[in-house]
Amino acid sequence: MLSALKMGGVVYAALVLNNFYGRRQALFELNDYFSFMAATIIFIALPLSYTYWTFVLLKKISGRTLRIIEAGENLFFVGLFWAVVMLTGAGDSRAKAIFLFVIITSTIQLGMGFGIFTAALSSAALIIIDIFHQPAAGAVNVRFEDDIAMITLFFAVASSLGYYVRANAIHIKGLVERINVDWLTGLLNHRSFHTDLSFRFEQFTKGKAPLALALLDIDYFKQYNDMFGHPKGDEVLKGVGNTLREYQTGLVTPYRYGGDEFALIMAGMDNAQIGHFTSELRRVFSEMEFEGEEFLSAKKLTVSVGVAVADDYTDSAAELLKYADDALYKSKFNDRNRIEFYSSALEWLKDDIERQQGHLIPTIKTLAGIINAKDKYTYGHMEKVVLYAKLLARELDLDAVETRRLILGAYVHDIGKLNISEAILVKKTPLETHEWEALKQHPVHGEQIIRPIPALREAAGVVLHHHERFDGRGYPDGLLGHQIPYLARVMAVVDSFDAMTTERPYKRRLSFDEAIIELKSNAGTQFDPRAVSAFLRALKNHRRYLSHIESGDYAGEPLNGLEGEIADE
Ligand SMILES: [Fe+2]
């Protein structure tokens, strides 16, 4: 619109010049050919070049540079129009109103201040012309009165239009704030968080700035809300929001992530700074006081924090978020009121692997990717089994070595399906006997695949025996009761629970409650009763956390949390 206005100004100038010289005399001694060429340039070439300038070149520029160029362009137009006035009779020119074009565009583009500045320049141009182009001695300078009216008009246009532009800018700013800011805490909201995180991650991958993410969750917030009502709960959220806002710097940006969760994006901080900053946060939150918190079961409102630092293994912003979320869950899991760092990339495995096996992490990722390509079900299944295994390991109070073995086993328990034909894996009808026999070989194949990998070897027993039954009727070896390795018995429970609660092409998924009944009735026959009761306790304790799986929303996501899940014992 503005460009059209400027172009209108140019064309108007051309018309004025044309009329003026058409009526009176040629600008120079032009013959017809040159007149034609001059008209062509004015009416075709100039608008075309201006179109290119404004729609192609200027579109590539933004921010401060664009504003400087726009200011320069407007000043150029003041000069151009001044020349037009001079060429069309100076003081007698009838084209003085042409300055209105540039006053309007500069006000709209750069605001009231610059608009008034342009009006002042244009007015000065008129006054200077009046001073230097006085009428013959003795005659009254009638043009001066007209010019004063014109100048008044210039300022009236710049100020009234400027006022409108300013009001509009405030309105737009308000709208943008409504979209991006959380009304309760005044922090940036969930939407801004995702936009900013993607941007920061892109910067990180370009090597511009280190990136870390913290997720904060207020412990026992639901209990507080239930006890004191939502208005009091909102006060707590505001308090936490205000505290976080105090830490907003160029390096740290706080967000309200949703509900009682907050997020902090830390860009450009090294690990030492992040460590220092998060311990400072922990101190501040532990010193905060909230009305009535002493009535809570924990006697204190606290926050749990999960921190993840992006590294070479972090593939996407979503992956970083998942890491932080894992760390947050770990923090909640470990009695809350603490800060957990996501320990990246199989730290405990890395040294071992780098010495012996090269890069195991990409290997496991690749294997998982291949399984995913073959059988979607197995992929999502693997992640859920890992999750259940983690919960169960804690419930059973397994030591670090056993926990690691169980979780590794959970990751790779079905890896032998790589050797099973896709036709069997994705078959939508019940399997034929020979197909079933082939499928039953997957624990053996799995054990053979991981046996040569030292870092995975310890999970071999879990992989080989995860389909044994407590009553000896399982496969591949038909081991009975305590002959079956303990962790394989544990794995059998979580594996079956997920199989039962997952939709398959030929089988309806059971609800959690139905699957629990099923586990109970098979305890002692198919399953080790001790493992079943421990798993049921774990389920009961973490039912809320598992609600996304229970509701069936959980789709097999890429195995992004691989390193963390294993390290996260
Ligand atoms: Fe299996």
Side-chain angles (χ1 to χ4, degrees):
M1 207 282 278
L2 285 176
S3 305
L5 198 61
K6 282 182 198 164
M7 206 131 53
V10 174
V11 173
Y12 176 70
L15 280 171
V16 168
L17 283 171
N18 187 50
N19 289 343
F20 184 78
Y21 288 102
R23 275 204 324 274
R24 292 181 47 188
Q25 62 186 71
L27 188 51
F28 304 103
E29 288 301 319
L30 295 175
N31 61 27
D32 283 344
Y33 175 73
F34 283 112
S35 300
F36 176 75
M37 285 306 290
T40 307
I41 287 171
I42 289 170
F43 287 105
I44 299 174
L46 274 182
L48 276 183
S49 358
Y50 186 73
T51 307
Y52 180 72
W53 157 252
T54 190
F55 290 108
V56 180
L57 297 182
L58 279 192
K59 294 284 174 223
K60 294 178 183 165
I61 303 165
S62 62
R64 195 176 148 75
T65 322
L66 179 65
R67 292 178 71 79
I68 292 172
I69 291 177
E70 281 174 349
E73 193 190 47
N74 281 301
L75 293 179
F76 166 78
F77 273 101
V78 173
L80 177 74
F81 294 156
W82 177 77
V84 169
V85 172
M86 289 303 290
L87 288 170
T88 55
D92 291 326
S93 173
R94 294 176 57 206
K96 290 173 184 169
I98 197 171
F99 286 111
L100 281 172
F101 280 102
V102 68
I103 292 169
I104 292 171
T105 55
S106 57
T107 310
I108 294 176
Q109 277 183 323
L110 298 151
M112 188 196 275
F114 196 79
I116 288 180
F117 174 67
T118 313
L121 272 185
S122 309
S123 307
L126 290 191
I127 290 170
I128 289 168
I129 291 171
D130 283 339
I131 292 172
F132 287 98
H133 295 270
Q134 298 279 349
V140 179
N141 190 350
V142 288
R143 299 176 322 235
F144 191 65
E145 292 166 21
D146 296 343
D147 288 347
I148 291 297
M150 185 65 74
I151 287 168
T152 311
L153 182 63
F154 288 171
F155 282 100
V157 167
S159 55
S160 55
L161 190 60
Y163 179 79
Y164 166 76
V165 169
R166 186 175 291 172
N168 197 41
I170 291 170
H171 177 63
I172 289 174
K173 192 167 166 245
L175 285 181
V176 169
E177 269 185 12
R178 270 197 205 170
I179 295 172
N180 291 324
V181 175
D182 171 56
W183 65 272
L184 181 68
T185 59
L187 295 179
L188 291 166
N189 61 15
H190 189 94
R191 181 180 177 280
S192 317
F193 168 76
H194 280 286
T195 313
D196 293 356
L197 184 64
S198 302
F199 172 74
R200 293 292 186 185
F201 191 80
E202 212 179 296
Q203 300 292 99
F204 164 73
T205 50
K206 288 177 186 163
K208 289 194 175 156
L211 177 64
L213 173 62
L215 290 180
L216 287 79
D217 186 290
I218 304 172
D219 302 322
Y220 308 103
F221 184 69
K222 189 177 177 303
Q223 196 186 9
Y224 187 89
N225 246 347
D226 292 346
M227 226 178 237
F228 300 105
H230 287 277
K232 276 269 176 271
D234 285 352
E235 289 304 314
V236 171
L237 294 173
K238 274 192 219 166
V240 173
N242 287 338
T243 305
L244 288 178
R245 196 173 312 106
E246 285 169 23
Y247 288 92
Q248 180 153 11
T249 61
L251 301 178
V252 179
T253 317
Y255 302 83
R256 178 160 181 218
Y257 188 65
D260 59 344
E261 283 193 22
F262 295 82
L264 291 160
I265 294 181
M266 295 168 271
M269 286 162 88
D270 61 29
N271 284 357
Q273 285 173 304
I274 293 167
H276 180 76
F277 172 66
T278 45
S279 5
E280 164 80 4
L281 265 190
R282 188 223 291 260
R283 187 187 63 73
V284 168
F285 281 119
S286 64
E287 285 171 9
M288 274 174 85
E289 287 177 1
F290 298 98
E291 198 185 326
E293 60 184 350
E294 62 275 16
F295 298 110
L296 292 173
S297 53
K299 311 284 180 216
K300 181 97 186 75
L301 260 186
T302 50
V303 293
S304 294
V305 184
V307 184
V309 181
D311 63 17
D312 293 345
Y313 292 105
T314 318
D315 292 335
S316 64
E319 188 168 316
L320 183 66
L321 180 58
K322 188 184 180 311
Y323 290 165
D325 203 38
D326 281 356
L328 175 63
Y329 184 68
K330 190 173 162 191
S331 163
K332 288 256 171 213
F333 202 59
N334 290 331
D335 305 321
R336 312 170 194 230
N337 185 22
R338 54 190 292 136
I339 294 173
E340 285 288 346
F341 274 76
Y342 174 79
S343 41
S344 162
L346 286 169
E347 290 300 339
W348 58 270
L349 267 180
K350 243 202 256 159
D351 296 340
D352 186 35
I353 297 159
E354 270 158 20
R355 262 184 277 118
Q356 304 175 32
Q357 284 292 316
H359 303 285
L360 183 69
I361 298 157
T363 308
I364 299 183
K365 277 194 167 184
T366 308
L367 290 175
I370 297 168
I371 296 184
N372 182 39
K374 279 184 100 165
D375 182 3
K376 269 263 179 250
Y377 160 77
T378 308
Y379 200 50
H381 167 68
M382 194 189 296
E383 281 214 325
K384 285 183 285 173
V385 169
V386 168
L387 182 60
Y388 296 140
K390 280 165 66 177
L391 299 181
L392 187 47
R394 189 178 166 88
E395 193 62 44
L396 288 167
D397 214 11
L398 298 184
D399 65 23
V401 173
E402 285 185 316
T403 300
R404 190 178 67 205
R405 187 175 295 165
L406 180 67
I407 292 172
L408 263 183
Y411 269 114
V412 295
H413 71 282
D414 271 344
I415 213 147
K417 287 188 178 174
L418 286 174
N419 284 0
I420 307 297
S421 97
E422 203 169 328
I424 295 179
L425 289 179
V426 299
K427 193 168 175 190
K428 291 197 166 64
T429 51
L431 299 178
E432 305 285 329
T433 312
H434 71 278
E435 291 170 329
W436 181 232
E437 289 304 319
L439 183 63
K440 277 162 71 176
Q441 286 305 304
H442 80 267
V444 179
H445 297 308
E447 197 262 355
Q448 286 165 353
I449 291 171
I450 66 164
R451 177 73 64 190
I453 306 171
L456 293 180
R457 193 176 293 148
E458 60 177 316
V462 177
V463 174
L464 182 60
H465 296 297
H466 74 278
H467 283 291
E468 302 288 0
R469 289 173 54 112
F470 202 63
D471 58 11
R473 290 167 49 226
Y475 62 89
D477 293 336
L479 299 183
L480 176 68
H482 294 274
Q483 294 174 330
I484 308 167
Y486 175 48
L487 294 181
R489 277 179 268 147
V490 168
M491 180 59 60
V493 174
V494 293
D495 187 27
S496 303
F497 181 78
D498 187 60
M500 287 190 272
T501 52
T502 302
E503 189 86 25
R504 305 258 23 207
Y506 48 82
K507 165 179 97 50
R508 179 183 77 86
R509 70 184 282 260
L510 299 187
S511 70
F512 269 30
D513 289 327
E514 289 167 328
I516 287 168
I517 294 171
E518 203 56 26
L519 284 184
K520 279 183 185 163
S521 63
N522 287 297
T525 50
Q526 184 175 354
F527 307 116
D528 178 348
R530 201 184 137 216
V532 169
S533 51
F535 183 59
L536 296 186
R537 282 198 306 275
L539 268 187
K540 197 174 160 203
N541 293 341
H542 301 282
R543 191 85 177 245
R544 193 168 147 245
Y545 176 66
L546 298 171
S547 59
H548 64 301
I549 298 179
E550 186 170 1
S551 64
D553 290 343
Y554 187 90
E557 292 159 10
L559 215 51
N560 287 335
L562 178 62
E563 301 86 353
E565 302 278 4
I566 294 179
D568 185 12
E569 326 129 14

